[in-house]
Amino acid sequence: MQDGNQIHAGFSDPIFQSQGAFRALLAALSEPGLARDLGEAIEAPTGLEPATAVALLTLADYETPIWLPAALRDGPAGAWLRFHCGAALVEDPARAAFAVIDGAAPEPKLAAFSAGDDQFPDRSTTVLVQCSGFEGGETVTLEGPGIAGHRTIAPAGLRHGFWAEVADNAALYPLGVDLLLVRGNQLLGLPRSTQIVEAR
């Protein structure tokens, strides 16, 4: 529990839990649009979904710049990440290796984050988009690597115009950000190679 200066625990079994979470993260990005469970939940700090916290514990370390909205960066979530990952929390979205955004918030746009460059396309930002659910929102149809034919999804709690941003991001391929939509202990991958072929 986080109260005052007390910080939530991280993994109880770091090696086992991080390995399991890493496999689930890879699976989410290799099969876009299919929700994956990140395993045993942890008690995440205020403002971070459990899967967001697990993903950052798994992927980030002291060399990893992370962008958070100011309210999270300056609050318990920022303190938790500094304590458990030693991560640098940056104010410039373009400098982040990983970022966490509220899917319903109007800013920052996906274009604010690093899309990589021609020499190092892999140095783009991975953006964790916290949403309100994986059903009940605008229906979109996906195509691309890891999808047999097409796949439809309808995540809820995303801002107006979000899917147009995702389509613009995919048009940059092989550059562009990779997305992980997060709710609770699950996440859904949308790598930059995924095409948005229909939204309604």
Side-chain angles (χ1 to χ4, degrees):
M1 183 174 185
Q2 191 157 333
D3 183 16
N5 294 325
Q6 188 175 356
I7 293 178
H8 289 305
F11 289 139
S12 57
D13 186 340
I15 294 176
F16 177 78
Q17 288 175 278
S18 62
Q19 287 177 343
F22 187 72
R23 287 192 295 269
L25 286 159
L26 288 181
L29 289 169
S30 65
E31 294 186 290
L34 292 182
R36 296 285 179 173
D37 194 299
L38 285 199
E40 182 182 350
I42 63 174
E43 188 177 2
T46 301
L48 295 184
E49 294 285 334
T52 300
V54 169
L56 292 174
L57 272 188
T58 300
L59 299 172
D61 60 23
Y62 69 93
E63 296 182 324
T64 309
I66 298 174
W67 186 89
L68 300 175
L72 298 187
R73 184 174 65 244
D74 298 334
W80 186 85
L81 286 169
R82 290 187 189 97
F83 180 81
H84 287 292
C85 305
L89 303 183
V90 297
E91 296 185 21
D92 180 0
R95 291 184 54 214
F98 296 97
V100 179
I101 67 172
D102 176 352
E107 299 289 341
K109 304 299 186 191
L110 298 182
F113 299 101
S114 173
D117 58 43
D118 291 334
Q119 188 173 5
F120 298 106
D122 58 319
R123 292 187 180 176
S124 65
T125 307
T126 297
V127 183
L128 292 98
V129 183
Q130 301 194 133
C131 59
S132 60
F134 293 149
E135 297 178 351
E138 181 180 2
T139 299
V140 295
T141 302
L142 313 176
E143 288 183 355
I147 301 173
H150 64 272
R151 182 169 292 140
T152 58
I153 60 173
L158 299 172
R159 62 182 173 237
H160 178 73
F162 177 80
W163 294 113
E165 293 178 56
V166 176
D168 289 344
N169 178 68
L172 300 174
Y173 186 81
L175 305 183
V177 301
D178 292 319
L179 302 175
L180 292 164
L181 273 57
V182 185
R183 176 60 178 170
N185 200 41
Q186 293 189 318
L187 51 75
L188 181 154
L190 290 174
R192 71 194 82 176
S193 58
T194 302
Q195 300 294 315
I196 307 299
V197 295
E198 184 181 3
R200 65 179 190 276

